[in-house]
Amino acid sequence: KEDMPRKPEWLRVRMGSSAEVKRIKEKLRKHKLASVCEEASCPNLGECFSHGTATFMIMGDICTRRCPFCDVAHGRPNALNPDEPRELATAIADMGLRYVVITSVDRDDLRDGGAQHIADCVRETRERCSSIQIETLVPDFRGRMDIALEILSATPPDVFNHNLETVPRLYKQVRPGADYEWSLDLLAGFKARQPDIRTKSGLMVGVGETNDEIIEVMRDLRAHNVDMITIGQYLQPSRSHLAVDRFVTPAEFDEFACIARELGFSHVASGPLVRSSYHADLQAKGEKVG
Ligand code: SF4
Ligand code: SF4
């Protein structure tokens, strides 16, 4: 494999560590809970933790899919932990988070794709933290759309997020096992059942797409009533992952944001370090992020 390309200046990480970050990290250790923020060495950790935002991955750490951009292990998944919803909610309450993103691996092995487990986590968290905002970042539930949507819309989050990740032309290569139309339909299907809950999707750029293709995807998202969008630079987790095709410039990210607003997205986060959950609290309030 070729060497990983040097990152441009605008991708250098701002680490910073505040008392709040330290406090949250201590609580995580106390509850023996791993956050995606730490596991993925997310460049935004300092900012997110100090805003009371964190992301947790539920249903184990082994995925039934194998996407070449993703660092999550692949294989036979762990059995679901029936205590996880309660344990997660207890930890979130103790941390005093204001905004939590609950995400998961794909569980193609489960009859409902894990929808009930996700809903249980949302319910338990709401019961313990009445003022927290909850975002679920869900898998595509391929082959199980109706049952999953029925369950998930019965215990809705504040924001329903499902990432398209990339443009349809690159799906076979970048999201094997997924289907572009299916993912759009999942987002539209949730909105149809819960019109007052915001829907959200995200794209990573720099995997071989063109800017025009990105704009086409934005149009498709709006045609499926998606309210919020995140666009960020793909970074290769290791040499054995999908290579970075290009570094999109900050000016191009600004251009995407402009177009997204014109297309009618109510919440737009577009920038090199933007991640699906980056400043999710501010995104949800509609403030400019990126
Ligand atoms: Fe990673 Fe999600 Fe793909 Fe699984 S489905 S390999 S968690 S990106
Ligand atoms: Fe965590 Fe997401 Fe913030 Fe990164 S962007 S620190 S993963 S909440």
Side-chain angles (χ1 to χ4, degrees):
K1 290 267 167 188
E2 72 276 34
D3 277 348
M4 287 163 80
R6 204 177 141 77
K7 287 182 202 166
E9 183 58 36
W10 62 76
L11 284 166
R12 302 280 152 79
V13 174
R14 350 144 197 171
M15 251 313 171
S17 180
S18 64
E20 185 61 3
V21 171
K22 195 162 165 273
R23 190 187 66 79
I24 291 187
K25 285 189 174 178
E26 281 166 6
K27 295 276 187 196
L28 287 168
R29 300 294 87 78
K30 175 182 151 199
H31 290 276
K32 298 188 176 53
L33 192 64
S35 65
V36 172
C37 320
E38 282 183 290
E39 301 271 297
S41 314
C42 182
N44 306 312
L45 187 145
E47 284 183 68
C48 288
F49 279 14
S50 35
H51 279 90
T53 297
T55 298
F56 297 100
M57 193 156 84
I58 57 169
M59 302 199 282
D61 52 9
I62 300 175
C63 188
T64 50
R65 305 252 179 111
R66 190 193 300 223
C67 305
F69 63 87
C70 176
D71 212 14
V72 170
H74 158 94
R76 215 184 128 104
N78 327 90
L80 284 185
N81 168 10
D83 296 329
E84 184 172 50
R86 188 176 40 80
E87 289 169 1
L88 178 72
T90 306
I92 290 171
D94 189 31
M95 276 182 267
L97 293 179
R98 284 184 280 201
Y99 195 105
V100 67
V101 181
I102 299 175
T103 190
S104 75
V105 288
D106 264 40
R107 293 299 302 251
D108 294 315
D109 57 313
L110 301 174
R111 194 184 60 87
D112 67 355
Q116 190 58 57
H117 196 82
I118 297 172
D120 290 346
C121 288
V122 171
R123 197 193 58 250
E124 294 275 356
T125 304
R126 279 231 197 283
E127 276 171 13
R128 283 171 180 76
C129 328
S130 54
S131 61
I132 199 168
Q133 297 236 57
I134 305 172
E135 174 174 323
T136 51
L137 170 58
V138 301
D140 65 5
F141 301 105
R142 201 155 172 214
R144 305 158 174 84
M145 173 112 51
D146 289 338
I147 179 175
L149 283 177
E150 200 175 301
I151 295 168
L152 295 170
S153 59
T155 313
D158 298 286
V159 174
F160 179 84
N161 187 353
H162 172 63
N163 286 334
L164 289 184
E165 309 288 8
T166 188
V167 304
R169 179 175 59 82
L170 298 175
Y171 257 52
K172 248 208 174 94
Q173 186 198 350
V174 178
R175 279 190 80 197
D179 179 87
Y180 181 71
E181 280 300 327
W182 179 279
S183 283
L184 284 170
D185 288 345
L186 181 79
L187 286 156
F190 187 87
K191 191 73 175 175
R193 285 170 174 82
Q194 283 284 4
D196 294 336
I197 306 289
R198 282 161 298 184
T199 48
K200 171 173 170 181
S201 190
L203 294 168
M204 46 181 193
V205 292
V207 295
E209 76 295 325
T210 66
N211 290 358
D212 285 345
E213 285 177 311
I214 296 280
I215 295 164
E216 261 324 294
V217 172
M218 290 192 214
R219 287 188 212 285
D220 287 341
L221 284 168
R222 288 298 299 138
H224 290 75
N225 299 320
V226 174
D227 305 300
M228 309 175 60
I229 188 169
T230 59
I231 307 175
Q233 172 69 49
Y234 166 65
L235 295 175
Q236 195 180 18
S238 82
R239 271 160 219 230
S240 54
H241 288 84
L242 184 71
V244 172
D245 175 67
R246 60 170 175 157
F247 289 109
V248 175
T249 64
E252 288 172 294
F253 279 110
D254 286 348
E255 179 76 23
F256 290 146
C258 243
I259 296 168
R261 283 192 202 94
E262 272 168 29
L263 287 171
F265 286 98
S266 60
H267 306 72
V268 177
S270 173
L273 290 173
V274 165
R275 295 293 170 263
S276 181
S277 49
Y278 176 51
H279 276 198
D281 56 327
L282 300 184
Q283 288 179 38
K285 281 190 219 140
E287 291 180 22
K288 187 176 180 297
V289 177

